[in-house]
Amino acid sequence: MATKEEDVKLLGFWASPFSRRVEMALKLKGVSYEYLEQDIFNKSALLLELNPVFKKVPVLVHKGKILAESHLILEYIDQTWKNNPILPQDPYEKAMARFWAKFVDEQVGPVCFKSVVKADKGIDVAIEEAQELITFLEKELSGKDFFGGKTIGFLDMVAGSMIPFCVARAWEGMGIDMIPEEKFPELNRWIKNLNDIEIVRECIPQREKQIEHMMKVAERIKLA
């Protein structure tokens, strides 16, 4: 278990799924950290200094070492604090967890949010394309409590922070039931399992506030 002497700081943004997943990992590991909220629309000198390449959150600082990009941060946390493993130990399972995490952030997130907001080919087509991607995750969860099995892990943190606690809030604001229980029973069961975990609940943005934020982001996307 970590102590305050570990000197851990996290630069994040309350509505960012990328920040929220890192907080989940730190809490799971029992790491004491200082959270520094950032204004992503008016970036601080500290954020620009610590992450001059991408200029984004999250940024983790541990004993003077600076790390950016949430997947890399999660792996660093897992390798630094060995209790409550996040990534699978089996090499193949670990590779597949990374594969699906990349799929969530690079495919599911953009298509299920930006493409649905813009709906260039019509909203029905956008929803169909989004649900086709979500179906892959539904199949991955078949017969499992979490993506990694019985306990929350790397992919649960990535997909959980992105889908039910971020993008789904946008769908709700747009009046879209994207993952109905009759069509996606495994995903809905998984979401309920996530909500049963205290550290996850501690990291979930307040629902109404998140919906309001996502609607503002959607307006920016429409005008872009």
Side-chain angles (χ1 to χ4, degrees):
M1 300 289 285
T3 65
K4 291 183 178 179
E5 284 69 36
E6 290 282 6
D7 188 23
V8 178
K9 296 181 176 64
L10 174 64
L11 280 70
F13 174 59
W14 70 269
S16 166
F18 309 101
S19 297
R20 296 285 72 81
R21 64 184 57 157
V22 173
E23 287 210 78
M24 288 180 196
L26 291 170
K27 288 179 180 293
L28 180 67
K29 296 285 188 176
V31 178
S32 297
Y33 62 97
E34 179 184 359
Y35 178 75
L36 302 172
E37 175 72 10
Q38 301 296 301
D39 181 350
I40 61 171
F41 304 109
N42 184 22
K43 297 176 182 179
S44 69
L46 179 61
L47 176 60
L48 297 176
E49 175 189 347
L50 296 179
N51 189 7
V53 177
F54 295 112
K55 304 177 177 64
K56 295 178 179 179
V57 296
V59 178
L60 184 79
V61 184
H62 177 219
K63 294 184 176 180
K65 293 176 288 190
I66 303 164
L67 295 98
E69 299 300 290
S70 66
H71 291 198
L72 298 179
I73 294 173
L74 289 177
E75 294 205 34
Y76 176 84
I77 290 170
D78 200 33
Q79 293 170 13
T80 302
W81 294 280
K82 302 294 186 180
N83 61 302
N84 299 329
I86 294 172
L87 279 157
Q89 300 304 300
D90 178 80
Y92 176 76
E93 292 179 1
K94 184 182 295 185
M96 292 309 297
R98 290 169 173 153
F99 171 84
W100 287 115
K102 186 178 177 70
F103 171 74
V104 166
D105 281 352
E106 296 185 4
Q107 296 294 320
V108 176
V111 170
C112 291
F113 180 45
K114 292 182 180 179
S115 295
V116 171
V117 169
K118 283 187 170 292
D120 293 328
K121 294 178 280 187
I123 189 63
D124 290 340
V125 173
I127 291 173
E128 182 181 354
E129 290 178 349
Q131 289 183 332
E132 284 178 3
L133 293 178
I134 296 170
T135 298
F136 286 110
L137 299 176
E138 174 77 6
K139 291 177 181 177
E140 278 298 304
L141 276 168
S142 181
K144 296 185 288 189
D145 293 334
F146 299 98
F147 283 104
K150 290 294 183 183
T151 58
I152 186 173
F154 178 80
L155 183 53
D156 299 288
M157 293 175 183
V158 171
S161 60
M162 178 61 73
I163 299 172
F165 307 130
C166 181
V167 180
R169 303 283 173 82
W171 299 330
E172 187 175 351
M174 290 184 280
I176 299 172
D177 184 9
M178 186 69 78
I179 46 176
E181 190 158 6
E182 63 273 13
K183 187 168 184 173
F184 298 102
E186 300 289 347
L187 272 167
N188 278 276
R189 182 173 54 81
W190 168 71
I191 292 170
K192 290 174 184 175
N193 289 339
L194 286 176
N195 275 300
D196 285 340
I197 300 176
E198 184 178 359
I199 64 158
V200 173
R201 293 196 303 271
E202 290 174 355
C203 296
I204 298 172
Q206 198 275 335
R207 176 175 159 274
E208 289 77 14
K209 185 180 178 182
Q210 178 86 340
I211 291 173
E212 181 181 359
H213 169 74
M214 296 303 291
M215 290 302 91
K216 289 178 180 178
V217 175
E219 282 303 313
R220 293 190 189 96
I221 291 172
K222 287 179 181 178
L223 295 174

